[in-house]
Amino acid sequence: MKLMRTMLGLFSVALASLVVLSGCASSSFPPAPAVAADSEYSYVIGPGDTVNIVVWRNPELSMSVPVRPDGKITTPLVEDLQAMGKDASTLGRDIEKALEKYIREPVVTVIVTSFVGPYSEQIRVVGEAAKPMILPYRQKMTALDVMIAVGGMTEFADGNKASILRTGEGNKQYSVRLSDLLKRGDVSANVEMRPGDVLIIPQSWF
């Protein structure tokens, strides 16, 4: 009998702890703003991207090259040029400067053909996603786009307690109603993502 009372007491303590934790989880962050994309946003190149370099009237210097893990590219006559963190136009002007030693008034066009983006701008999905992963950011990308890419949520997810950690705003955190969006089709729960966002999907307690 004494052992049973002890076990019941431990169970009560454990249950109380769960209630407290559940109460903490229910204290939501402010709702994520529906519109978050920056109209001035310009894609910047990151490691893993592929860039197509076209040098006017010099086809032997034109080619597609990958951006190395150190963020640099190598092309004929141009070695170890930093590409990471630049947009396509800026990289084109830098290649032109490098080629001026060998070609008179070079004209270079850079086209990004494979997109990964810099690490600081990638979208990360963690927790109870079907396939937690890292995604390249795209202008006007929404939470729905992200959830489609990761295959939705697991059966253990508490989607309406999900949150967005916004690194671009000093790690400010916002709530997002993923269950309403995915299971009820409530489009008002869909919100835009920003570069560097982390989408956190917690596990349901019950």
Side-chain angles (χ1 to χ4, degrees):
M1 182 67 70
K2 184 176 180 181
L3 178 60
M4 184 175 289
R5 283 199 300 268
T6 302
M7 291 178 67
L8 285 173
L10 290 173
F11 177 77
S12 299
V13 171
L15 183 60
S17 299
L18 285 174
V19 170
V20 169
L21 288 171
S22 177
C24 292
S26 65
S27 56
S28 61
F29 299 103
V35 178
D38 184 357
S39 60
E40 301 298 321
Y41 174 78
S42 179
Y43 181 82
V44 293
I45 297 166
D49 285 354
T50 300
V51 293
N52 185 28
I53 299 169
V54 180
V55 185
W56 188 52
R57 291 183 178 175
N58 289 271
E60 71 280 3
L61 301 179
S62 303
M63 61 178 58
S64 289
V65 297
V67 181
R68 304 194 310 246
D70 62 359
K72 297 179 181 180
I73 60 171
T74 297
T75 69
L77 304 181
V78 181
E79 293 185 353
D80 297 334
L81 181 65
Q82 186 71 27
M84 182 176 70
K86 300 175 182 177
D87 60 26
S89 297
T90 301
L91 180 58
R93 303 297 79 74
D94 289 348
I95 295 174
E96 288 174 351
K97 290 178 183 177
L99 290 176
E100 284 175 351
K101 303 175 186 176
Y102 315 100
I103 302 174
R104 184 178 179 181
E105 298 182 354
V107 177
V108 176
T109 301
V110 174
I111 303 169
V112 184
T113 57
S114 177
F115 301 89
V116 175
Y119 301 125
S120 61
E121 293 197 355
Q122 292 170 352
I123 304 296
R124 290 166 171 81
V125 187
V126 298
E128 295 300 317
K131 296 179 292 184
M133 65 174 66
I134 296 173
L135 302 168
Y137 173 78
R138 288 174 172 79
Q139 179 75 321
K140 295 290 184 179
M141 173 184 274
T142 67
L144 180 58
D145 298 325
V146 171
M147 294 312 299
I148 291 172
V150 301
M153 302 181 292
T154 71
E155 60 181 311
F156 307 108
D158 193 345
N160 278 352
K161 289 193 175 71
S163 62
I164 294 174
L165 181 68
R166 188 143 285 165
T167 60
E169 296 180 6
N171 292 334
K172 188 172 181 179
Q173 208 154 348
Y174 296 97
S175 65
V176 57
R177 297 180 289 117
L178 293 182
S179 291
D180 289 349
L181 175 63
L182 299 178
K183 296 180 180 180
R184 299 184 179 88
D186 183 355
V187 294
S188 69
N190 196 21
V191 298
E192 290 182 352
M193 309 295 289
R194 291 198 65 181
D197 278 356
V198 181
L199 182 58
I200 304 168
I201 307 173
Q203 186 176 20
S204 175
W205 286 101
F206 302 101

